[in-house]
Amino acid sequence: MELADARRRRADRARQVADLLRREVVGGGFDGGHLPLESALAREFGTSRNTIRDALDLLRDEGLIERCPGVGTTVAAEKFPHGLHRLLGLAETLREHGEVTNEVRAMGLIQPPAAVRGRLHLPPDEPVVYVERLRRLSGLPLSLDLTYLVREVGEPLFDADLVHNDVFVLLERIAGQPLGVAELTIEAVNADAHTAAVLDAPRGAALLMVERLTHLSDGRPVDLEFVRFRGDRLTMRGHLWRNTDDPGQQPGRRARDDR
C-alpha cells in the first residue's frame, strides 16, 4: 500500500512539473531549444531526478521534446499561439509565425441540413455556400475548415482569392460592415482516418475541434464553421474577466475569438 501511494505521489508530481515545463516549451522559453539538465530541473522544482525523468517522458510522449544521449533534452516541435481575445483571421493571428495558405478542397451552393439552417436563421429551401479548406502555415498542414456561409455574402467568394486571404477579411468587404461577435465551442476530438490523412497526422491523433458561429456587427449570423486543428501545432490562449458588470468587458465585446 505504501509503495502504491509513493508511486501515485510521484506520478502526481511528475504531471505538475510537466504542466509547468510545457508552457515554457510551447512559449519558446528555453534558449536554443535546449532544456536544462535533469539535475538543474530537480533543484528548480524541489523534487527527485526520477520525477523529472517521468515529467520529461510525458512531454516526449506528446511529441514536444526529444531526449538524446550525449545531446540532452531539446524542443522537438513548435506550437503556434492562437488567441481567443479578438475576432481575427488565421493569417492575421499567425502573421508573425509564417505564411498561411489555403487549399480549397470543395466549394459550392448546397441545401443545408436543418441544423445549419437553424443556426444561420435561414428560411426553408434557402441554399448556403459550403467551403472546405485545408489551411497550412509555412507549408505545414494546420487545420481542416468546413464552413457554411449565408448566400448573400458567400456567393461573391466564388470569384475571390481564397488561397491567400482569410474569409473574415473578404466577408467584411462584401458585407460593407465589420464582423461583430462569434459564439465559440472548443473540444478535443480524435482524428478520423480521413481527417488524419488530410492533415498528415497519425490516425487517432488529438485535434482541437472548434465550432464557431460568427455574426456581422448588425447581429446577423453569416458564417458557421467547424475547424479541426492539429493539437500538436497549436495552443489556444485568451483572457477571461470575472466581473462582467462593465459593458466594455462583456464576453461578446471583449472576449472575441481569433480565426
Side-chain angles (χ1 to χ4, degrees):
M1 187 66 177
E2 291 182 0
L3 180 59
D5 287 343
R7 288 175 176 171
R8 179 184 60 78
R9 288 194 297 270
R10 175 172 156 181
D12 289 344
R13 183 59 176 149
R15 282 193 296 271
Q16 295 167 11
V17 172
D19 287 343
L20 296 171
L21 287 175
R22 186 184 296 106
R23 179 174 178 82
E24 294 298 310
V25 170
V26 171
F30 295 111
D31 293 338
H34 288 270
L35 275 69
L37 296 175
E38 291 177 0
S39 56
L41 290 173
R43 288 192 299 271
E44 178 182 349
F45 289 100
T47 189
S48 68
R49 291 184 63 174
N50 285 337
T51 299
I52 294 298
R53 291 191 188 102
D54 291 346
L56 295 176
D57 285 343
L58 292 174
L59 297 180
R60 182 190 59 192
D61 292 343
E62 294 177 22
L64 292 178
I65 63 172
E66 293 179 345
R67 307 186 68 194
C68 302
V71 176
T73 304
T74 58
V75 176
E78 181 180 6
K79 282 195 174 187
F80 303 100
H82 189 296
L84 295 175
H85 52 278
R86 291 189 61 201
L87 190 55
L88 296 174
L90 189 65
E92 295 173 306
T93 304
L94 301 178
R95 62 182 178 273
E96 298 178 359
H97 302 280
E99 181 185 11
V100 173
T101 57
N102 311 299
E103 175 189 333
V104 180
R105 297 173 50 81
M107 186 173 186
L109 202 62
I110 66 168
Q111 285 296 328
V116 173
R117 187 181 303 113
R119 298 289 301 281
L120 292 174
H121 298 173
L122 298 175
D125 301 323
E126 174 71 15
V128 299
V129 172
Y130 172 76
V131 184
E132 180 176 319
R133 295 168 297 159
L134 170 62
R135 314 196 71 183
R136 295 185 174 91
L137 178 62
S138 299
L140 294 175
L142 184 63
S143 71
L144 179 63
D145 298 19
L146 281 57
T147 307
Y148 301 87
L149 299 145
V150 298
R151 188 174 187 177
E152 175 186 350
V153 297
E155 280 193 319
L157 294 178
F158 286 112
D159 298 319
D161 179 9
L162 292 178
V163 174
H164 300 99
N165 286 291
D166 286 325
V167 165
F168 276 6
V169 174
L170 297 172
L171 289 183
E172 291 184 321
R173 293 176 187 170
I174 293 167
Q177 64 175 288
L179 296 173
V181 299
E183 303 163 25
L184 183 72
T185 301
I186 302 175
E187 60 183 315
V189 299
N190 293 328
D192 59 88
H194 169 70
T195 302
V198 172
L199 292 175
D200 193 24
R203 182 173 181 176
L207 305 178
L208 291 175
M209 174 72 173
V210 174
E211 178 183 333
R212 178 169 46 216
L213 177 64
T214 303
H215 303 251
L216 293 174
S217 59
D218 64 11
R220 287 182 294 163
V222 293
D223 179 327
L224 174 64
E225 59 187 331
F226 300 86
V227 184
R228 292 167 173 81
F229 287 104
R230 281 192 54 157
D232 60 341
R233 290 184 177 161
L234 202 78
T235 182
M236 297 289 186
R237 296 178 180 174
H239 298 85
L240 301 175
W241 288 269
R242 182 175 178 85
N243 183 1
T244 59
D245 293 336
D246 181 355
Q249 293 187 2
Q250 290 290 337
R253 294 175 181 261
R254 294 293 299 275
R256 297 178 178 180
D257 74 301
D258 299 6
R259 172 182 179 186

